[in-house]
Amino acid sequence: MNASMTENIARLLMTAGNYYGSAELRTAFGLSSKQASTVLRLLHTTSRYQLVVKKEPLRVKVLAIGPVVREGRQPTQKELSERQQAQIQYLNTQVFKRQGQAAVGGTHAG
């Protein structure tokens, strides 16, 4: 089960506008029980999907799909605290011997 398959299913669910649980996903998309459970879990736990959730049994209605959020994204310098900036600067200059490089996103010339 990959992310693009989950997104395609989410788009179809959003278009349909109905609540779907594991049983409905199996029937509608010909998924195995394991695949249906995985899709349902990914939809429910991924912040990218805006849902209305019914519990007991878990059923979701997809309202919107947000942009892809990449894990491990480098924070911008504005998002770093002064202490974090100082730590990065220390690593760059003292440990890695990089001079004149910005704390985040700088280029090394030479």
Side-chain angles (χ1 to χ4, degrees), residues 1 9-10 12-14 16-44 51-62:
M1 183 64 48
I9 291 173
L12 293 170
L13 296 180
M14 187 171 64
N18 298 323
Y19 286 90
Y20 285 82
S22 289
E24 292 87 3
L25 290 173
R26 285 194 313 269
T27 302
F29 300 102
L31 302 174
S32 69
S33 295
K34 183 177 179 179
Q35 290 172 323
S37 294
T38 300
V39 168
L40 192 60
R41 179 182 49 80
L42 288 171
L43 290 173
H44 187 247
L51 309 171
V52 176
V53 178
K54 289 184 177 180
K55 299 202 180 210
E56 309 285 332
L58 180 63
R59 297 175 61 205
V60 299
K61 179 178 182 179
V62 179

Side-chain angles (χ1 to χ4, degrees), residues 24-96:
E24 292 87 3
L25 290 173
R26 285 194 313 269
T27 302
F29 300 102
L31 302 174
S32 69
S33 295
K34 183 177 179 179
Q35 290 172 323
S37 294
T38 300
V39 168
L40 192 60
R41 179 182 49 80
L42 288 171
L43 290 173
H44 187 247
T45 60
T46 304
S47 62
R48 178 166 190 225
Y49 302 107
Q50 184 179 7
L51 309 171
V52 176
V53 178
K54 289 184 177 180
K55 299 202 180 210
E56 309 285 332
L58 180 63
R59 297 175 61 205
V60 299
K61 179 178 182 179
V62 179
L63 301 177
I65 301 172
V68 175
V69 177
R70 300 277 182 219
E71 294 297 323
R73 178 187 68 83
Q74 292 294 321
T76 65
Q77 195 158 355
K78 289 180 180 177
E79 293 173 314
L80 296 174
S81 71
E82 287 182 26
R83 181 172 186 218
Q84 290 170 320
Q85 289 179 32
Q87 288 172 333
I88 291 171
Q89 188 64 36
Y90 174 81
L91 289 173
N92 280 333
T93 59
Q94 301 302 311
V95 177
F96 299 116

